[in-house]
Amino acid sequence: MSLTEITAKLKSREVSATELADAALSASEAANGALNAFSSFDADKTMAMARASDDRLAKGEGGLIEGAPIAMKDLFAVEGVETAASSNILKGFKPTYESTVSAKLWEAGGVFLGKTSMDEFAMGSSNETSNQGPAVNPWRTGDAKLTPGGSSGGSAAAVAADLCFGATGTDTGGSIRQPAAFTGTVGVKGTYGRCSRWGAVAFASSLDHPGPIAKTVRDAAVLMQAMSGHDPKESTSLPNAVPDFAAAAERAVKGMRIGVPKEYRMDGMPEEIETLWSQGVDMLKDAGCEIVDVSLPHTKYALPTYYIIAPAEASSNLARYDGMRYGNRVEGKDLTDTYEQTRAAGFGKEVQRRILIGTYVLSAGYYDAYYLRALKVRRRILEDFKTAFEQCDALLTPSTPSAAFEIGSRSNDPIAMYLNDIFTVTANIAGIPAMSVPVGLDKDGLPLGLQVITPALDEESMFAVGAALEAQAGFTGKPKKWW
Ligand code: GLN
C-alpha cells in the first residue's frame, strides 16, 4: 500500500496508527536479519508516537502523513535515539536534539519506525561502508546478494520491501536517486536549501540535500512537502514558501518541453540503459511533451569536480570528530596521539580516503590547482544548466549507468564505485531539483530508473513530469519476498 492509500485508511479509522506501527515494527525486525536495512529501533518511542497519532486521528485532527511509519536515515538526529551515521566514531551517540527534517515529519504526523543503515558518513554507492555491514537489496535474480545502492541504501531497501511508507535520505552526489533506481522506488532531492540540513550529520555542506524515498511519485511529493520549508537555524535554508508538491504531481504535462542532453550518452553505456532512456522519451512524447535536444558541455568534468569538492568539504566537516567533545575516543599518550588514534580507530577506510583527498586538495600547494579550479568548473556546470533550461522545462536522463550490482563486486575499486554517480552528481553541483522514477526492468528482471531534472525552485515541474513518466511506464514491479 502506498503512503497516500494508508493515510486515507488511517483517517477513516479503518486501521489505527498503533496497529500499523506494531505491524511495521514486527515486519521490520523480522526482515532485518536478511536485509540489514535498519541500524536501530526504539519500539517504545514508535509506539508512543503511534498512540499520540491515534489520539489526534480520533479527534479528527492530524497532519499530512498522520499515523504513517517512516524510516529515518541514520544521518538525521532523532532525539534520544542513536545517531551514528553508520560510523564507529559516533557509535552510541544519542543526540539531545531533533533534526529539522525529522521534526517536520513528526509535526506532519509521521511515526518514527527506526534508523536506517547507510554508507559511513554518506560516503559510498553501495551501503557497504556501514559500520553494521551492508544493507541488502530486496530485489535479486538468483542467490547472490545485491546492493540496494548507497548511501541511503537502508532507507531504499526498507521502502522497497514494504517495511515502511516512506523514508528519508540525503543526496550529496546521488545517494537518494541511485538507491531509488536500484530498488524500484522513487527518490527525490529538491533545490539546495529546500530541506534544512540542520541536525543532519554533515558530509559536504554545499552539496548535501535531504529528501524522501517513497513508493510513488505522489507519496514522494507529500513527504517532500512535509520535509521542506524555511529553517531559521540553518543559514542556507531557503526562505521561499513551499508549493503544493502533491498538486503538482497531478498537473498536466502537455506542451512541456523535455530536454535530452547529448552528453549523457556515455561511451560504454549498456544498451539497456540507452533503450530505457529512448522509451522514456517516447512515453513523455505520448503524454504530449515536446522533445528537444540540448547540450550540457561540461558534463564530463562533473565527476572529477565532485570528487574534489565533496572530499574537501568532508575533510573540513569531519575535523570535529576528534574525540574531545562527543563521539568515541581512544586515549593516547598525549593530545596529538589521542587525536590520531581516535580518528584511525573511528573512521573506516573510505572515510579516511576522502579525508586524505580533501586535505590534499585544500593544502597550500594544491589549493589553486585543484579546489579553486573545481569551484570554477562548478560554475560552468551551473551555467550549462541555465542555458539548457532556456530551451526546455525539464531534462530526462538515465539515473544510473547500471542496475543493482552484487555486494562485494566493486568494493575494492573506488573508481568503479565513483562512476555510479555519473548521471546524478551534476544536479548536486548545480543545486537543482532531481528525481529518479522507476520505469522498467533489465534483462535479469532488476529495476531501472530514469532521472528528471528541473531548474532551481521548480520542483513542481519535476513532480509533474515524474508522475507522467510513472503513469506512462505503469511500473508495478515488486521484489519477490525471500527475506
Ligand atoms: N556516491 C557518492 C559518494 O560516495 C554520493 C554519496 C552521497 O550522495 N551522499 O560520495
Side-chain angles (χ1 to χ4, degrees):
M1 225 178 270
S2 68
L3 174 68
T4 304
E5 289 163 336
I6 199 69
T7 43
K9 288 199 190 298
L10 282 156
K11 218 174 188 163
S12 65
R13 309 302 286 141
E14 218 174 300
V15 57
S16 76
T18 355
E19 285 173 298
L20 189 61
D22 195 43
L25 261 182
S26 349
S28 300
E29 282 167 354
N32 223 33
L35 298 179
N36 203 24
F38 287 88
S39 52
S40 67
F41 296 101
D42 184 336
D44 291 344
K45 188 176 184 96
T46 301
M47 295 317 293
M49 285 177 80
R51 283 192 295 273
S53 240
D54 275 332
D55 288 346
R56 286 189 292 271
L57 285 161
K59 286 189 248 159
E61 295 169 0
L64 212 48
I65 56 168
E66 195 62 56
I70 304 292
M72 293 296 304
K73 185 177 184 179
D74 195 30
L75 206 66
F76 292 95
V78 173
E79 195 184 334
V81 175
E82 187 191 67
T83 299
S86 288
S87 178
N88 283 332
I89 209 154
L90 278 176
K91 205 178 165 73
F93 170 64
K94 290 190 176 165
T96 54
Y97 51 88
E98 189 77 34
S99 77
T100 299
V101 157
S102 53
K104 279 183 178 291
L105 285 167
W106 312 151
E107 249 169 59
V111 171
F112 169 72
L113 178 60
K115 297 303 280 294
T116 57
S117 173
M118 49 182 277
D119 280 296
E120 184 180 5
F121 282 106
M123 298 171 188
S125 303
S126 63
N127 221 104
E128 287 167 286
T129 70
S130 166
N131 68 337
Q132 307 206 343
V136 178
N137 197 330
W139 289 83
R140 62 180 191 177
T141 54
D143 289 338
K145 287 183 174 172
L146 305 180
T147 164
S151 63
S152 314
S155 286
V159 174
D162 281 329
L163 302 174
C164 59
F165 292 89
T168 55
T170 56
D171 192 311
T172 303
S175 277
I176 289 176
R177 290 162 286 157
Q178 184 253 18
F182 278 14
T183 56
T185 56
V186 176
V188 179
K189 74 163 202 72
T191 308
Y192 180 73
R194 187 66 97 178
C195 292
S196 169
R197 292 179 291 105
W198 197 84
V201 176
F203 165 10
S205 307
S206 80
L207 298 161
D208 292 344
H209 296 66
I213 295 179
K215 298 188 198 186
T216 67
V217 172
R218 189 182 188 280
D219 286 3
V222 169
L223 288 167
M224 185 72 192
Q225 202 162 332
M227 291 163 70
S228 299
H230 182 239
D231 179 4
K233 290 191 287 219
E234 208 254 83
S235 62
T236 62
S237 168
L238 283 169
N240 308 53
V242 180
D244 188 340
F245 292 142
E250 267 142 47
R251 208 151 90 175
V253 294
K254 196 162 185 305
M256 282 183 81
R257 296 162 307 163
I258 306 299
V260 177
K262 63 167 188 272
E263 290 80 4
Y264 280 56
R265 198 153 276 125
M266 303 277 174
D267 281 348
M269 187 160 98
E271 182 92 29
E272 283 180 293
I273 303 287
E274 182 92 42
T275 310
L276 182 86
W277 193 9
S278 330
Q279 287 168 345
V281 166
D282 289 341
M283 289 173 194
L284 290 179
K285 234 189 250 170
D286 288 347
C289 298
E290 184 194 325
I291 308 298
V292 287
D293 289 323
V294 297
S295 173
L296 298 166
H298 295 89
T299 301
K300 63 172 179 287
Y301 303 116
L303 212 51
T305 301
Y306 172 82
Y307 276 101
I308 290 173
I309 296 175
E313 293 186 18
S315 75
S316 162
N317 272 327
L318 271 57
R320 75 191 66 173
Y321 304 105
D322 56 6
M324 297 299 132
R325 286 155 292 189
Y326 59 98
N328 295 316
R329 171 202 306 221
V330 178
E331 218 57 69
K333 60 181 186 307
D334 55 26
L335 184 62
T336 304
D337 193 40
T338 300
Y339 287 153
E340 288 175 357
Q341 289 207 45
T342 296
R343 289 166 68 81
F347 291 138
K349 278 214 158 53
E350 183 60 28
V351 173
Q352 293 187 15
R353 184 182 353 257
R354 306 280 177 119
I355 293 173
L356 287 172
I357 296 172
T359 308
Y360 180 81
V361 300
L362 289 174
S363 61
Y366 295 100
Y367 184 91
D368 290 355
Y370 292 104
Y371 183 65
L372 204 59
R373 179 154 298 204
L375 291 184
K376 289 177 182 172
V377 180
R378 180 176 197 172
R379 169 54 68 97
R380 292 267 186 253
I381 291 168
L382 181 64
E383 283 165 358
D384 277 0
F385 278 113
K386 283 200 173 135
T387 312
F389 286 130
E390 284 166 12
Q391 295 158 261
C392 65
D393 306 302
L395 296 163
L396 184 73
T397 80
S399 299
T400 55
S402 74
F405 49 89
E406 206 174 308
I407 290 174
S409 63
R410 299 187 191 176
S411 42
N412 291 321
D413 187 350
I415 303 287
M417 200 62 98
Y418 295 173
L419 280 171
N420 269 284
D421 308 322
I422 196 141
F423 300 129
T424 47
V425 287
T426 50
N428 298 78
I429 291 175
I432 56 180
M435 80 190 294
S436 178
V437 181
V439 168
L441 299 173
D442 76 352
K443 59 178 182 326
D444 300 321
L446 295 174
L448 294 171
L450 288 178
Q451 178 178 226
V452 180
I453 310 176
T454 52
L457 296 173
D458 192 11
E459 286 88 352
E460 290 168 281
S461 291
M462 171 183 69
F463 283 119
V465 175
L469 200 57
E470 179 183 57
Q472 292 282 330
F475 181 90
T476 49
K478 279 271 158 199
K480 237 197 250 118
K481 192 167 186 289
W482 55 269
W483 55 90

